[in-house]
Amino acid sequence: MPLTYSTYLKLDELLALQQPLSDGPEHDETLFIVIHQVYELWFKQILHELDHLKVLLSRHDTERANATFKRILTILKVVVAQIDVLETMTPLEFLSFRERLAQGSGFQSRQFRELEFVLGAKNPKALDRYDVGSPARARLERRLAEPTLWDAFLRFLDAQDHDVPDAQLERDVTQPIAEAPELHPLLIRLYKTDPVVRALCERLVDLDEGIQEWRYRHVKMVQRTIGGKMGTGGSAGAAYLMQTINKPLFPDLWSIRTEL
Ligand code: HEM
Protein backbone atom coordinates (compact mmCIF):
# COMPACT_ATOMS: atom_id res chain seq x y z
CA MET A 1 0.00 0.00 0.00
CA PRO A 2 1.51 3.34 -0.99
CA LEU A 3 1.60 5.94 1.73
CA THR A 4 -1.22 8.47 1.43
CA TYR A 5 -2.35 11.60 3.30
CA SER A 6 -4.81 9.46 5.20
CA THR A 7 -2.51 6.58 6.13
CA TYR A 8 0.33 8.90 7.14
CA LEU A 9 -1.92 10.88 9.49
CA LYS A 10 -3.86 7.80 10.60
CA LEU A 11 -7.05 9.68 9.83
CA ASP A 12 -9.37 6.68 10.05
CA GLU A 13 -8.23 6.15 13.64
CA LEU A 14 -8.19 9.85 14.48
CA LEU A 15 -11.67 10.58 13.12
CA ALA A 16 -13.14 7.58 14.91
CA LEU A 17 -12.14 9.01 18.28
CA GLN A 18 -15.00 11.52 18.69
CA GLN A 19 -17.72 9.52 20.41
CA PRO A 20 -20.50 11.47 22.13
CA LEU A 21 -22.15 9.76 25.08
CA SER A 22 -25.46 11.67 25.20
CA ASP A 23 -28.70 10.33 23.74
CA GLY A 24 -29.36 11.68 20.30
CA PRO A 25 -26.47 12.54 20.60
CA GLU A 26 -26.80 16.18 21.67
CA HIS A 27 -25.48 18.43 18.90
CA ASP A 28 -22.92 20.36 21.00
CA GLU A 29 -21.21 17.34 22.51
CA THR A 30 -19.17 16.84 19.32
CA LEU A 31 -17.72 20.35 19.65
CA PHE A 32 -16.92 19.72 23.30
CA ILE A 33 -15.03 16.52 22.49
CA VAL A 34 -13.21 17.94 19.47
CA ILE A 35 -12.03 21.03 21.32
CA HIS A 36 -10.66 19.06 24.25
CA GLN A 37 -8.88 16.65 21.93
CA VAL A 38 -7.39 19.56 20.00
CA TYR A 39 -6.19 21.05 23.31
CA GLU A 40 -4.52 17.82 24.30
CA LEU A 41 -2.72 17.70 20.94
CA TRP A 42 -1.49 21.25 21.41
CA PHE A 43 -0.41 20.43 24.98
CA LYS A 44 1.59 17.54 23.52
CA GLN A 45 3.26 19.85 21.01
CA ILE A 46 4.02 22.53 23.62
CA LEU A 47 5.64 19.92 25.89
CA HIS A 48 7.68 18.67 22.94
CA GLU A 49 8.88 22.21 22.24
CA LEU A 50 9.60 22.97 25.91
CA ASP A 51 11.79 19.88 26.19
CA HIS A 52 13.63 21.03 23.06
CA LEU A 53 13.97 24.54 24.46
CA LYS A 54 15.71 23.25 27.59
CA VAL A 55 18.18 21.31 25.44
CA LEU A 56 18.86 24.39 23.28
CA LEU A 57 19.56 26.47 26.40
CA SER A 58 21.98 23.81 27.66
CA ARG A 59 23.76 24.07 24.29
CA HIS A 60 23.75 27.89 24.48
CA ASP A 61 21.97 27.99 21.13
CA THR A 62 20.11 31.22 21.78
CA GLU A 63 19.09 31.77 18.17
CA ARG A 64 17.17 28.51 17.99
CA ALA A 65 15.94 28.94 21.56
CA ASN A 66 14.31 32.21 20.49
CA ALA A 67 12.76 30.53 17.45
CA THR A 68 11.37 27.77 19.69
CA PHE A 69 10.00 30.35 22.12
CA LYS A 70 8.26 32.04 19.19
CA ARG A 71 6.66 28.75 18.15
CA ILE A 72 5.45 27.98 21.68
CA LEU A 73 4.04 31.49 22.10
CA THR A 74 2.26 31.28 18.75
CA ILE A 75 0.64 28.00 19.77
CA LEU A 76 -0.36 29.56 23.07
CA LYS A 77 -2.16 32.37 21.22
CA VAL A 78 -4.10 29.76 19.22
CA VAL A 79 -4.92 27.84 22.38
CA VAL A 80 -6.25 30.97 24.11
CA ALA A 81 -8.24 32.01 21.00
CA GLN A 82 -9.90 28.58 20.86
CA ILE A 83 -11.89 29.50 23.95
CA ASP A 84 -13.95 31.80 21.68
CA VAL A 85 -15.15 28.72 19.81
CA LEU A 86 -16.33 26.94 22.95
CA GLU A 87 -18.01 30.12 24.20
CA THR A 88 -20.46 29.83 21.29
CA MET A 89 -22.01 27.01 23.35
CA THR A 90 -24.70 28.34 25.68
CA PRO A 91 -25.19 27.15 29.30
CA LEU A 92 -28.32 25.20 28.28
CA GLU A 93 -26.51 23.52 25.42
CA PHE A 94 -23.76 22.44 27.82
CA LEU A 95 -26.31 21.21 30.37
CA SER A 96 -27.86 19.00 27.69
CA PHE A 97 -24.94 16.59 28.06
CA ARG A 98 -23.00 17.73 31.15
CA GLU A 99 -24.20 14.90 33.38
CA ARG A 100 -22.62 12.44 30.93
CA LEU A 101 -19.20 13.77 31.92
CA ALA A 102 -19.68 12.28 35.41
CA GLN A 103 -16.47 13.13 37.32
CA GLY A 104 -14.50 13.77 34.11
CA SER A 105 -12.82 17.19 34.08
CA GLY A 106 -9.86 19.08 32.66
CA PHE A 107 -8.72 18.86 36.27
CA GLN A 108 -7.50 15.37 35.37
CA SER A 109 -5.51 16.44 32.31
CA ARG A 110 -2.14 14.80 32.85
CA GLN A 111 -0.51 16.84 30.13
CA PHE A 112 -1.70 20.12 31.67
CA ARG A 113 -0.06 19.13 34.96
CA GLU A 114 3.12 18.20 33.06
CA LEU A 115 3.03 21.63 31.48
CA GLU A 116 2.68 23.27 34.87
CA PHE A 117 5.58 21.21 36.24
CA VAL A 118 7.91 22.03 33.34
CA LEU A 119 7.05 25.70 33.79
CA GLY A 120 7.83 25.53 37.50
CA ALA A 121 4.38 25.29 39.10
CA LYS A 122 5.27 22.06 40.88
CA ASN A 123 2.72 20.51 43.20
CA PRO A 124 3.28 16.94 44.40
CA LYS A 125 -0.38 16.77 45.46
CA ALA A 126 -1.34 16.73 41.76
CA LEU A 127 0.05 13.18 41.67
CA ASP A 128 -2.62 11.95 44.07
CA ARG A 129 -5.22 11.98 41.29
CA TYR A 130 -3.37 9.18 39.47
CA ASP A 131 -3.13 5.54 40.52
CA VAL A 132 0.22 4.46 41.94
CA GLY A 133 2.10 2.58 39.22
CA SER A 134 -0.05 3.97 36.36
CA PRO A 135 1.78 5.30 33.27
CA ALA A 136 0.26 8.78 33.85
CA ARG A 137 1.60 8.92 37.39
CA ALA A 138 5.02 7.67 36.29
CA ARG A 139 5.21 10.48 33.71
CA LEU A 140 4.25 13.07 36.30
CA GLU A 141 6.77 11.71 38.78
CA ARG A 142 9.47 12.10 36.13
CA ARG A 143 8.36 15.64 35.43
CA LEU A 144 8.31 16.45 39.14
CA ALA A 145 11.94 15.36 39.51
CA GLU A 146 13.05 17.20 36.36
CA PRO A 147 14.60 20.70 36.36
CA THR A 148 12.10 23.32 35.16
CA LEU A 149 12.52 25.76 32.29
CA TRP A 150 13.56 28.38 34.85
CA ASP A 151 16.28 26.05 36.20
CA ALA A 152 17.49 25.53 32.62
CA PHE A 153 17.62 29.31 32.18
CA LEU A 154 19.63 29.82 35.40
CA ARG A 155 22.06 27.06 34.39
CA PHE A 156 22.42 28.72 31.00
CA LEU A 157 23.34 32.00 32.74
CA ASP A 158 25.79 30.21 35.03
CA ALA A 159 27.46 28.48 32.09
CA GLN A 160 27.94 31.94 30.54
CA ASP A 161 30.09 32.82 33.58
CA HIS A 162 27.43 34.88 35.30
CA ASP A 163 27.42 34.61 39.01
CA VAL A 164 24.18 32.75 39.76
CA PRO A 165 23.91 32.08 43.52
CA ASP A 166 24.64 28.42 44.32
CA ALA A 167 21.46 28.13 46.37
CA GLN A 168 19.50 28.76 43.16
CA LEU A 169 21.52 26.38 41.03
CA GLU A 170 21.19 23.64 43.62
CA ARG A 171 17.59 24.29 44.60
CA ASP A 172 15.23 21.34 45.11
CA VAL A 173 13.64 21.16 41.65
CA THR A 174 10.60 19.29 42.97
CA GLN A 175 9.57 22.54 44.68
CA PRO A 176 7.67 25.37 42.98
CA ILE A 177 9.72 28.34 41.84
CA ALA A 178 9.77 30.92 44.61
CA GLU A 179 10.90 34.50 44.31
CA ALA A 180 14.64 34.81 45.01
CA PRO A 181 15.63 38.43 45.73
CA GLU A 182 19.33 37.45 45.77
CA LEU A 183 19.01 36.91 42.00
CA HIS A 184 17.72 40.41 41.29
CA PRO A 185 21.03 42.33 41.09
CA LEU A 186 22.32 39.87 38.46
CA LEU A 187 19.06 39.84 36.49
CA ILE A 188 18.87 43.64 36.53
CA ARG A 189 22.47 44.01 35.38
CA LEU A 190 22.02 41.51 32.56
CA TYR A 191 18.67 42.99 31.64
CA LYS A 192 20.32 46.39 31.20
CA THR A 193 23.50 45.26 29.46
CA ASP A 194 22.93 41.97 27.62
CA PRO A 195 20.40 42.09 24.76
CA VAL A 196 20.44 38.31 24.28
CA VAL A 197 19.58 37.60 27.92
CA ARG A 198 17.06 40.46 27.92
CA ALA A 199 15.28 38.90 24.92
CA LEU A 200 15.14 35.52 26.67
CA CYS A 201 13.72 37.18 29.79
CA GLU A 202 11.03 38.87 27.70
CA ARG A 203 10.08 35.57 26.05
CA LEU A 204 9.78 33.96 29.51
CA VAL A 205 7.49 36.78 30.57
CA ASP A 206 5.46 36.34 27.36
CA LEU A 207 5.07 32.68 28.23
CA ASP A 208 4.09 33.46 31.81
CA GLU A 209 1.55 36.07 30.67
CA GLY A 210 0.19 33.67 28.02
CA ILE A 211 -0.50 30.95 30.59
CA GLN A 212 -2.15 33.47 32.91
CA GLU A 213 -4.22 34.68 29.97
CA TRP A 214 -5.41 31.11 29.31
CA ARG A 215 -6.37 30.69 32.97
CA TYR A 216 -8.30 33.98 32.94
CA ARG A 217 -10.19 33.15 29.72
CA HIS A 218 -10.92 29.62 31.00
CA VAL A 219 -12.39 30.87 34.28
CA LYS A 220 -14.53 33.45 32.46
CA MET A 221 -15.79 30.70 30.14
CA VAL A 222 -16.57 28.59 33.20
CA GLN A 223 -18.44 31.46 34.90
CA ARG A 224 -20.59 32.16 31.85
CA THR A 225 -21.29 28.47 31.24
CA ILE A 226 -21.92 27.01 34.73
CA GLY A 227 -22.06 30.11 36.96
CA GLY A 228 -21.29 29.15 40.57
CA LYS A 229 -21.92 25.41 40.20
CA MET A 230 -19.33 22.90 41.39
CA GLY A 231 -16.97 21.42 38.82
CA THR A 232 -17.41 17.87 37.52
CA GLY A 233 -13.92 17.24 38.90
CA GLY A 234 -15.24 17.94 42.41
CA SER A 235 -13.78 21.39 43.03
CA ALA A 236 -15.74 24.53 43.91
CA GLY A 237 -15.66 25.37 40.18
CA ALA A 238 -15.02 29.02 39.24
CA ALA A 239 -14.20 29.88 42.88
CA TYR A 240 -11.36 27.32 42.80
CA LEU A 241 -10.15 28.48 39.40
CA MET A 242 -10.08 32.13 40.54
CA GLN A 243 -7.40 31.16 43.07
CA THR A 244 -5.14 29.89 40.29
CA ILE A 245 -5.07 33.10 38.26
CA ASN A 246 -2.62 35.92 38.79
CA LYS A 247 0.11 33.60 40.07
CA PRO A 248 3.25 34.33 38.06
CA LEU A 249 5.45 31.42 36.99
CA PHE A 250 8.67 33.44 37.04
CA PRO A 251 8.13 35.93 39.90
CA ASP A 252 11.65 37.42 39.74
CA LEU A 253 11.15 38.57 36.17
CA TRP A 254 8.08 40.54 37.22
CA SER A 255 9.67 41.95 40.39
CA ILE A 256 12.78 43.34 38.71
CA ARG A 257 10.58 45.63 36.63
CA THR A 258 9.86 47.65 39.74
CA GLU A 259 13.57 47.91 40.47
CA LEU A 260 14.78 48.77 36.96
C1 HEM B 1 -17.74 24.39 28.92
C2 HEM B 1 -16.45 24.33 29.01
C3 HEM B 1 -15.70 24.10 30.28
C4 HEM B 1 -16.14 24.14 31.56
C5 HEM B 1 -17.54 24.44 32.09
C6 HEM B 1 -15.00 23.84 32.40
C7 HEM B 1 -15.05 23.77 33.77
C8 HEM B 1 -13.97 23.55 34.59
C9 HEM B 1 -14.03 23.53 36.03
C10 HEM B 1 -15.26 23.82 36.86
C11 HEM B 1 -12.79 23.24 36.48
C12 HEM B 1 -12.35 23.11 37.93
C13 HEM B 1 -12.10 21.67 38.28
C14 HEM B 1 -13.37 20.86 38.44
O1 HEM B 1 -13.90 20.79 39.56
O2 HEM B 1 -13.85 20.28 37.44
C15 HEM B 1 -11.94 23.09 35.32
C16 HEM B 1 -10.59 22.82 35.37
C17 HEM B 1 -9.80 22.68 34.26
N1 HEM B 1 -10.21 22.72 32.94
FE1 HEM B 1 -12.02 23.23 32.28
N2 HEM B 1 -13.89 23.65 31.63
C18 HEM B 1 -14.28 23.78 30.32
C19 HEM B 1 -13.48 23.65 29.22
C20 HEM B 1 -12.15 23.33 29.24
C21 HEM B 1 -11.31 23.14 28.08
C22 HEM B 1 -11.72 23.30 26.62
C23 HEM B 1 -10.10 22.78 28.53
C24 HEM B 1 -8.92 22.46 27.66
C25 HEM B 1 -8.16 21.45 27.90
C26 HEM B 1 -10.14 22.75 29.98
C27 HEM B 1 -9.09 22.44 30.80
C28 HEM B 1 -9.12 22.50 32.16
C29 HEM B 1 -7.97 22.31 33.00
C30 HEM B 1 -6.54 22.03 32.51
C31 HEM B 1 -8.39 22.44 34.31
C32 HEM B 1 -7.52 22.37 35.56
C33 HEM B 1 -7.10 23.81 35.92
C34 HEM B 1 -6.34 23.92 37.22
O3 HEM B 1 -6.44 23.03 38.08
O4 HEM B 1 -5.65 24.95 37.38
N3 HEM B 1 -11.39 23.10 30.36
N4 HEM B 1 -12.69 23.27 34.19
Side-chain angles (χ1 to χ4, degrees), residues 35-224:
I35 207 136
H36 280 84
Q37 290 182 341
V38 169
Y39 263 109
E40 290 294 336
L41 287 174
W42 280 132
F43 290 162
K44 180 174 184 172
Q45 186 65 31
I46 296 175
L47 285 165
H48 185 56
E49 300 295 348
L50 284 170
D51 285 336
H52 187 50
L53 180 54
K54 289 200 298 181
V55 173
L56 292 171
L57 286 174
S58 73
R59 291 185 194 148
H60 312 173
D61 188 345
T62 50
E63 196 180 325
R64 287 174 64 206
N66 270 311
T68 303
F69 259 124
K70 182 161 191 276
R71 180 176 295 171
I72 295 169
L73 294 167
T74 308
I75 296 172
L76 209 49
K77 292 268 175 227
V78 171
V79 156
V80 172
Q82 269 175 201
I83 288 186
D84 290 343
V85 182
L86 201 50
E87 282 185 343
T88 63
M89 181 179 69
T90 65
L92 291 177
E93 284 161 345
F94 182 49
L95 282 176
S96 72
F97 61 89
R98 188 183 189 221
E99 65 183 29
R100 295 296 187 149
L101 306 178
Q103 333 267 276
S105 161
F107 219 20
Q108 297 151 347
S109 167
R110 186 257 301 159
Q111 291 201 107
F112 186 77
R113 298 298 165 212
E114 276 192 67
L115 207 54
E116 287 188 320
F117 284 9
V118 178
L119 295 175
K122 301 248 174 137
N123 175 8
K125 281 208 186 110
L127 265 62
D128 295 346
R129 290 191 204 101
Y130 304 88
D131 292 336
V132 176
S134 65
R137 190 172 169 127
R139 270 192 86 107
L140 274 178
E141 281 167 352
R142 273 205 305 280
R143 289 287 187 198
L144 188 69
E146 211 175 77
T148 69
L149 179 60
W150 180 246
D151 297 304
F153 174 66
L154 293 185
R155 288 170 195 191
F156 158 81
L157 293 182
D158 189 61
Q160 307 269 312
D161 284 337
H162 299 304
D163 208 7
V164 179
D166 287 346
Q168 290 306 311
L169 293 171
E170 289 155 16
R171 76 171 199 102
D172 176 358
V173 297
T174 66
Q175 294 302 307
I177 295 165
E179 184 165 357
E182 74 264 31
L183 267 175
H184 294 187
L186 171 67
L187 289 174
I188 290 169
R189 181 169 58 73
L190 291 175
Y191 201 89
K192 286 183 174 165
T193 59
D194 188 327
V196 173
V197 173
R198 181 166 58 237
L200 288 173
C201 289
E202 288 302 280
R203 298 299 77 77
L204 284 164
V205 171
D206 287 340
L207 189 55
D208 197 337
E209 200 175 330
I211 298 285
Q212 292 187 59
E213 204 181 334
W214 182 83
R215 289 191 196 276
Y216 174 78
R217 288 296 317 271
H218 175 259
V219 73
K220 286 289 144 194
M221 173 177 65
V222 171
Q223 284 171 335
R224 68 184 281 171

